[in-house]
Each structure stands twice: as C-alpha cells, then as structure tokens.
C-alpha cells in the first residue's frame, strides 16, 4: 500500500539555465532519459527546461523530489534552484558532470540532500526510494553503466512545438585525450556503443512524432580510426585489433540501419577530423542521412594542436584538404576553433577565419580557451594559481563558475602576448565576420540550392550566432539581454523550418545480427 506522502509527491527534473529562448535547439536528452528511469508508481515527472522558460518555484512543494542536472556552465543557476527548493521543503538531488566532479560543492552551495556521480539512470530508482523513506544518502555512485542498459528517452513527455532537433545517443566515451575536454575522463576512453536496435527504435519514435532533424548526441561518433587499426596491427595485438574491428563493424551496422529511414531525415553528430581519411566511413554516413558533424579543428597551427594534445589533427593546407573531404561526401561541417592558446598570436584569428572560409565549413564556432574542471588544462591552471588564487567578488578564480554571470571573466588563462580584452575582442570580430550577412549569403550558395532554402540558411546562421556567440562572449549584460530577446523572436519561425510531417505509421526493419550486411574489414 502506498503512503499518502508518496502519492502526493511530485518529481521535478530541472535543466537550469540563466537565459531562456522560448524555443530550444536540441532536446536536453538527460531529462527524458531520467524520466524513463523513474519507476511508474512515482507518477510522471515534471520536466523543466529553463532554456525554454524559467522555473516557477511555486510548483515545488514540501516532500517533492527535485533532480537538477548540472554542467559547469549552468552550475550556479542550478545551485540557486537547489537552495530555493530545499527551503520549500523538497529533497534536492544533483547529477551531471559538474556534480560528479564537485559533489561537496553541490552540498555546500546548492542545498543538496544527495549527489549522484557518474551515469544516473540505473541508480535513480534507489535515490527516489530513499527520498520517499525520508533518508536519502549523501552520495550515490552511478558509475559507468554498460551500453546495453542505456535507456531510451520518454519522448511522449516532449512539449509540442518547443524543440528544433531531437537527440539520441549511440555511443558514450572517447578514446582520445584532448587537454581541454573532460569527456574522456568522465565518460571514459572505452567507447560504449548502444545496440543498433535500441538506437533505431528511439529514432523511429522521434520520426513518428515529426522530428526529422535528430542530433546523434555522441561524445565521438568515430571512435575507431584507420590509424588505430594500423597501430593495433603493427603492435601484433590480435585481441585489441579484434575489439577495434568489432566496434567499427557495429558503427557500420548502425549506419546501414539508419539508411532505411525516410529520405528527408537529417542527422547531425560530432566526429574527429581523422574520419576525413576514411572514405568508406564517410560514404556510410552519407547513406545514413548524416548530413552534418561538429569537427573539432581547435587550432590551425602545429603549435596550437600541440597545446591541446590534439596532434592527430592536421594544420595548414592539409587541414583545409581534410575539411573539404567531408563536403565531397555531402557532410556539412560545423568547425570548432579555440582562441587564446599559448601559441596563438594576433595573426591567428585571421588565419583561422581564412581556413574556415577556404575549407568550406558550413557553420563555425569560435570559443575562448576556458579551463573546465575535469580537464588536464584545468588541473595545470589551478596548480599555477597557487594556494592563494586571485578572487572576483570574494570567489577564487579557480572556481570561476561560481562568479555571477555578469562579473565572470571571459578569459582566464594568462597569455604570453595578448591581454584578455584583446583575445575577447578579436574572437568577437571573427564571429562577426564569419556571420556577416554577405558571408552567410555566399556560403548559402554552396550549402543549399533553392532561394527558399538559402533564406532559411541565413535565418539559421543568424540565430546560431545570437544564441552561441553574443550570450557567451559579450561582457555587458545589455548585449546579452538584447541577443537573448532577438534569438527568442527568431526561434519560433526557425523551429518551423526544422519541423517534419509526423509519421505515426513509420516502420523500419530491425537490424538484427542476421540482417546486417556482412562487411569486409579494412586491410591494416
Ligand atoms: S574533444 Fe572530442 S576527440 Fe577530444 S577527447 Fe573530447 S570528445 Fe574526444
């Protein structure tokens, strides 16, 4: 028999954000996965995504459970919510990368009753059971669960007409070790690839609901490179070679399955640049309707690549050639560049813009080097600040995410030749030039064909810039607010461009082991 307290309680799952746009670009997958992990007797969780609209605190009552997922960028807003929810008498539980790295911080500053570290889906029912019993533990170790047990999202809970893209994960973990990235340390270096049928079922459900644009929200969609296979063969390590070949074969099986989806389906993912030297893989991506990928270019010089431990990337002309290879397979590249690396010089900004333009990348993002916790860069930077780091408003710089947004510095690491303002101004100028109307219009010609599609391309480019450049780089809050308002206005017509016709009767053959086509493994 359920207690009355149990029946009255509501589970709130909250994705914090200090800016709301009314419409979201990509569905925050974790909300829907954790909703799946919530046992039915607890009722349907209330999902709140503050990138759509701010939380109404009046909805949280004594005895409710409030689950807050945080990464470093939204931790401070998450803590504000947690403190207020605890004051309202709710049980407050944190999860996500940042909470996994700083569980004590969530307790000290965010009002946490409990923190879940690692993958949350398996341990979540236990957390709820303990909250209902009035005795949540301080911490729950979610660990790294195996891919067979990854859960699909509860897409039946999606609010109608609020997101442009669906999101599905196919693999967790990345074998690389880039110095600015925490993925390989938090999700691990062993790729955990989901079963093809599980991925397919989830995608079909989203397509039935009218999502024809879907992000494959993977750490690295190309976890095994031809170079990895060659190296395993050279080392005469048959077990490792076999393991890598199996992962590669699974990727192809997945792409074969995705190829069956309706022609107008569009996937976007993230991969390393090494995929450019693997035409068989790129061709399979094209057949699988994967039309775009975020590619971490990071730096255009060998020195810059060394700075970020990304020596496997190319630089100079070879970089341009590699990026162009993606376009030959109908794959649009969102090139990601980092500014403020120790080897950067004032000329690096123009050189990077020139590479982005000559290489024909369709979209680009220019981010300033930021030491995010969990990365090698952060560890070295924190150490360099010493025992008594400088403070902003009483907050040590080494805890920069706790500095209120309006006062948060934009550049953290001392640079040998440029001031923080110079790096920020030059970065802003590169965004402005790449996304100027004439530049976007010129790019649209190579990206799409009809006039209508070119106009849509302009709208999408502009909204991308407003959402990701001005709200992240601008120092004055007036500019951030203006940008958020502008993005809000453009977001509604933009979402309509992405919406597809619902296909409630869509059926796709399951990709059982017997049905996936045999593939010749590459000669190494
Ligand atoms: S930046 Fe990309 S390639 Fe590098 S470790 Fe992170 S996920 Fe892997």
């Amino acid at each position: 028999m359920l207690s009355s307290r149990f029946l009255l309680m509501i589970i709130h799952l909250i994705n914090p954000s200090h800016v709301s746009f009314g419409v979201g670009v990509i569905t925050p997958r974790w909300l829907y996965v954790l909703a799946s992990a919530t046992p039915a007797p607890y009722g349907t969780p209330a999902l709140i995504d503050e990138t759509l609209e701010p939380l109404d605190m009046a909805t949280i009552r004594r005895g409710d459970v409030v689950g807050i997922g945080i990464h470093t960028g939204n931790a401070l807003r998450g803590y504000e919510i947690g403190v207020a929810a605890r004051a309202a008498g709710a049980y407050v539980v944190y999860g996500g990368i940042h909470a996994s790295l700083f569980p004590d911080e969530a307790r000290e500053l965010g009002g946490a009753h409990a923190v879940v570290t690692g993958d949350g889906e398996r341990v979540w029912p236990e957390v709820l059971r303990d909250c209902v019993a009035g005795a949540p533990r301080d911490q729950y170790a979610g660990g790294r669960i195996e891919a067979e047990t990854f859960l699909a999202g509860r897409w039946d809970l999606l609010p109608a007409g609020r997101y442009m893209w669906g999101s599905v994960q196919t693999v967790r973990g990345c074998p690389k070790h880039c110095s600015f990235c925490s993925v390989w340390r938090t999700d691990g270096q062993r790729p955990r690839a989901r079963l093809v049928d599980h991925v397919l079922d989830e995608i079909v459900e989203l397509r039935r609901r009218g999502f024809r644009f879907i992000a494959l929200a993977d750490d690295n969609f190309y976890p095994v490179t031809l170079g990895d296979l060659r190296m395993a063969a050279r080392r005469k390590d048959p077990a490792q070679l076999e393991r890598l070949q199996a992962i590669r074969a699974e990727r192809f099986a997945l792409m074969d399955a995705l190829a069956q989806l309706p022609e107008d389906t569009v996937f976007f993912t993230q991969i390393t640049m090494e995929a450019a030297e693997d035409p068989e893989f790129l061709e399979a991506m094209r057949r699988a309707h994967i039309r775009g990928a975020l590619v971490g270019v990071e730096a255009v010089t060998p020195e810059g690549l060394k700075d970020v431990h990304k020596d496997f990337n190319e630089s100079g002309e070879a970089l341009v050639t590699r990026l162009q290879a993606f376009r030959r397979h109908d794959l649009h590249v969102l090139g990601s560049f980092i500014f403020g690396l120790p080897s950067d010089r004032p000329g690096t900004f123009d050189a990077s813009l020139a590479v982005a333009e000559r290489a024909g990348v369709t979209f680009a993002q220019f981010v300033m080097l930021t030491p995010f916790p969990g990365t090698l860069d952060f560890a070295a930077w924190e150490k360099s600040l010493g025992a008594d780091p400088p403070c902003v408003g009483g907050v040590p710089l080494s805890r920069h995410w706790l500095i209120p947004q309006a006062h948060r510095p934009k550049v953290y690491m001392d640079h040998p030749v440029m001031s923080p303002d110079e790096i920020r101004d030059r970065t802003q100028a590169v965004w402005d030039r790449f996304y100027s109307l004439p530049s976007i219009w010129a790019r649209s010609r190579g990206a799409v064909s009809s006039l209508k599609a070119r106009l849509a391309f302009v709208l999408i480019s502009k909204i991308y810039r407003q959402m990701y450049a001005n709200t992240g780089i601008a120092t004055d809050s007036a500019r951030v607010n203006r940008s958020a308002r502008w993005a809000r206005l453009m977001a509604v017509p933009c979402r309509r461009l992405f919406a597809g016709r619902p296909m409630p009767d869509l059926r796709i053959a399951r990709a059982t082991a017997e049905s996936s086509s045999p593939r010749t493994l590459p000669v190494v």
Side-chain angles (χ1 to χ4, degrees), residues 173-185 189 218-220 270-272 274 294 296 298 308-310 312:
C174 176
K176 305 296 183 190
H177 55 271
C178 304
S179 65
F180 58 87
C181 175
S182 62
V183 157
W184 59 281
R185 302 179 97 192
Q189 288 186 285
D218 299 331
D219 296 327
N220 178 359
Q270 35 191 21
I271 50 177
T272 58
E274 295 149 302
L294 185 148
E298 326 305 1
V308 293
H309 300 203
K310 208 155 182 170
F312 57 85

Side-chain angles (χ1 to χ4, degrees), residues 4 98 138 140 173 177 180 190 199 217 249 260-261 265 300 306 315 337-338 410 479 503:
S4 54
H98 192 84
D138 280 359
Y140 296 80
H177 55 271
F180 58 87
R190 180 172 65 86
V199 175
Q260 306 172 71
L261 286 152
T265 309
V300 298
K306 209 163 175 199
S315 56
F337 298 77
I338 301 179
K410 299 292 175 187
R479 186 165 181 173
M503 296 181 155

Side-chain angles (χ1 to χ4, degrees), residues 478-498:
R479 186 165 181 173
V480 171
N481 291 338
R482 229 179 13 251
S483 272
R485 268 203 309 275
W486 210 75
R488 218 170 214 284
L489 272 179
M490 290 195 298
V492 174
C494 203
R495 196 205 68 78
R496 288 200 196 102
L497 293 172
F498 288 105

